[in-house]
Amino acid sequence: MKRPLTVWLSSVLLVGIAFGNEPASSSTDATGDAIRFKRLVLSDRYYCDGVTSGDIDGDGDADVVAGPYWYAGPDFQVAHAFYQPVALPPAESPSNSMFSFVEDFSGDGRPDILVLGRVHKHQAIWYENPGKTEGLWKGHVAFHRVKGESPTLVDLDGDGVSQVICHWDGRWGSIQPDPSRPTEPWRFIPIGAAEDWPQFYHGQGVGDVNRDGKPDLILNDGWYEQPQSAAGASDWAFHRGLFSKGRGGAQMFAQDVDGDGDQDILSAVDAHGWGLAWYEQVDSESSSEFKEHLIMGDRSAINRFGVAFTQPHALASADINGDGLPDLVTGKRRWAHGPDGDIDPGAPPVVYWFELQRQSDGTVRYVPHLIDDESGVGVQILATDLNQDGRIDIATASKLGTFVFLQQ
């Protein structure tokens, strides 16, 4: 019988000051209190590139899931392995755990864990929660490969079953389990015409772009509009129009950034290079024309935006300061292609939140606030209330380990 691994966490209180060469500004929450984060090191070894949360043991507290471990909340002091842990050298290629998602796939009322590995090497596997029994969990193969750099688990079509958004055989769509046969491999449901989509496609998300009450699929190359009727649902209308002119981002979001009543798009400009941006919807009739506004550029624009770092390969959106506006959380991915790959690989592995501010003249700005400069991000970042105190917390996983930042 496996015993849970006890991890004694180190913590540092971060108070909104600048670290290294990266500037930061202070911020307050809706009550006027300064926003601070307490740093918890759940692991200082490289196991994974993604992190999520869920109440794994059913005790009412949120637990953190990263790689082969789930860390018991609310203090995250005890780590339980649910598949065999293998720590990896940080300089080598990414792990077999790029993304984790928590959902009851078996239908027994207990949350299971879905793990997605590298798109060209690893199968998607979900691990069945055994309840109170300690030890490794039974794994079930969900699908051969999940292609695309930023898949997400969501009930896209509203049928009550969550699906993983990805592409397969040249078509975008989702893989979905059959609840009546939960241990059988999942099936792929296409939504558009076949094209030559690269397996390492950058820039994808889900959001209601045209505000018709149905979530749409957002890509760096445009967006698929979900039809109102289920009939012919495999032929979603594709509104082609490039968002980022760079390689493309990571996660993408549809939000009303400027408060004008329509949906704008948020994305990284290049997940392995420079830049964050929001794309203003300027044609509400067709919902197909968008204007780029940079949130962060390269180092030549650091005075304009307040910060510059490369590889924003994981994005999350949440209202960090409680002012009712959605903010953006991201950071620098640590050594995505090793210590000599990509741009600026030796720069501090930072994590930032960008505060959305709407000005009195109708303009929008995002103000950067440093969370940490010793952790970085992988490909999936978590922004949620982990300790149920009403404040948004952050969790990251990178080649430097797994971290939680509790908002104080």
Side-chain angles (χ1 to χ4, degrees):
M1 177 182 295
K2 298 281 185 179
R3 293 295 179 186
L5 172 65
T6 300
V7 180
W8 297 102
L9 306 178
S10 62
S11 63
V12 178
L13 187 64
L14 305 180
V15 293
I17 60 176
F19 290 84
N21 297 320
E22 300 289 351
S25 58
S26 60
S27 180
T28 59
D29 62 18
T31 65
D33 293 331
I35 293 178
R36 300 177 176 87
F37 288 91
K38 182 180 181 180
R39 180 179 191 257
L40 305 179
V41 182
L42 276 59
S43 172
D44 61 0
R45 305 185 73 182
Y46 173 45
Y47 290 103
C48 59
D49 297 83
V51 59
T52 190
S53 67
D55 185 6
I56 303 300
D57 53 5
D59 65 353
D61 293 316
D63 309 307
V64 170
V65 178
Y69 293 108
W70 66 272
Y71 301 85
D75 55 12
F76 315 110
Q77 291 290 313
V78 179
H80 303 261
F82 63 93
Y83 69 85
Q84 189 62 48
V86 178
L88 302 172
E92 295 184 2
S93 298
S95 74
N96 64 345
S97 177
M98 304 297 287
F99 295 85
S100 295
F101 301 99
V102 173
E103 183 95 6
D104 178 14
F105 299 111
S106 65
D108 63 0
R110 294 190 291 265
D112 309 304
I113 300 173
L114 172 66
V115 177
L116 309 183
R118 301 186 73 192
V119 301
H120 64 307
K121 286 190 174 182
H122 303 118
Q123 297 174 316
I125 299 175
W126 70 272
Y127 294 89
E128 188 173 355
N129 189 337
K132 300 297 183 180
T133 304
E134 288 291 346
L136 305 184
W137 297 9
K138 184 176 181 179
H140 305 277
V141 174
F143 205 69
H144 318 287
R145 301 285 186 274
V146 175
K147 296 185 178 182
E149 288 278 313
S150 302
T152 187
L153 182 72
V154 64
D155 182 6
L156 182 64
D157 55 13
D159 66 353
V161 180
S162 295
Q163 306 130 31
V164 175
I165 308 305
C166 60
H167 68 85
W168 185 253
D169 282 342
R171 302 178 72 181
W172 281 95
S174 63
I175 56 172
Q176 177 173 316
D178 182 348
S180 66
R181 298 184 299 169
T183 61
E184 294 295 315
W186 299 6
R187 66 188 179 101
F188 179 73
I189 305 171
I191 65 172
E195 293 191 35
D196 186 20
W197 301 106
Q199 62 179 346
F200 299 108
Y201 187 88
H202 285 75
Q204 60 193 92
V206 173
D208 186 2
V209 179
N210 57 355
R211 307 197 76 158
D212 65 351
K214 289 181 172 290
D216 307 302
L217 173 58
I218 310 168
L219 303 176
N220 190 56
D221 288 81
W223 62 281
Y224 282 99
E225 179 181 354
Q226 181 166 178
Q228 288 296 315
S229 172
S234 62
D235 296 321
W236 292 30
F238 187 47
H239 302 268
R240 189 176 298 277
L242 193 65
F243 287 106
S244 165
K245 296 179 178 61
R247 185 191 314 224
Q251 291 82 2
M252 301 179 73
F253 307 98
Q255 298 172 353
D256 185 5
V257 173
D258 51 6
D260 66 353
D262 57 22
Q263 295 284 73
D264 310 302
I265 305 297
L266 292 121
S267 176
V269 174
D270 185 341
H272 292 286
W274 301 97
L276 293 170
W278 70 277
Y279 298 86
E280 179 186 4
Q281 188 174 150
V282 295
D283 185 353
S284 58
E285 293 298 323
S286 65
S287 302
S288 60
E289 293 186 20
F290 295 84
K291 178 182 178 182
E292 182 182 77
H293 300 270
L294 287 179
I295 297 171
M296 178 179 68
D298 61 19
R299 192 154 283 130
S300 68
I302 195 170
N303 290 333
R304 176 184 174 191
F305 299 111
V307 68
F309 55 85
T310 61
Q311 298 203 68
H313 209 305
L315 279 71
S317 179
D319 183 5
I320 301 297
N321 57 356
D323 65 354
L325 299 178
D327 306 305
L328 190 65
V329 183
T330 187
K332 178 180 177 61
R333 186 177 178 188
R334 176 71 166 180
W335 290 358
H337 299 116
D340 299 317
D342 301 304
I343 303 170
D344 219 14
V350 295
V351 180
Y352 271 84
W353 71 276
F354 289 77
E355 179 186 0
L356 171 58
Q357 295 182 352
R358 294 175 180 161
Q359 308 301 305
S360 58
D361 61 359
T363 60
V364 165
R365 68 187 295 237
Y366 280 87
V367 179
H369 303 282
L370 181 66
I371 297 174
D372 185 53
D373 75 340
E374 296 181 336
S375 53
V377 302
V379 295
Q380 181 186 32
I381 191 169
L382 179 68
T384 191
D385 183 2
L386 287 171
N387 56 3
Q388 302 180 55
D389 66 352
R391 300 181 179 91
I392 297 296
D393 310 302
I394 310 297
T396 67
S398 74
K399 291 192 171 183
L400 293 173
T402 303
F403 307 88
V404 164
F405 303 95
L406 297 176
Q407 188 176 161
Q408 302 297 288

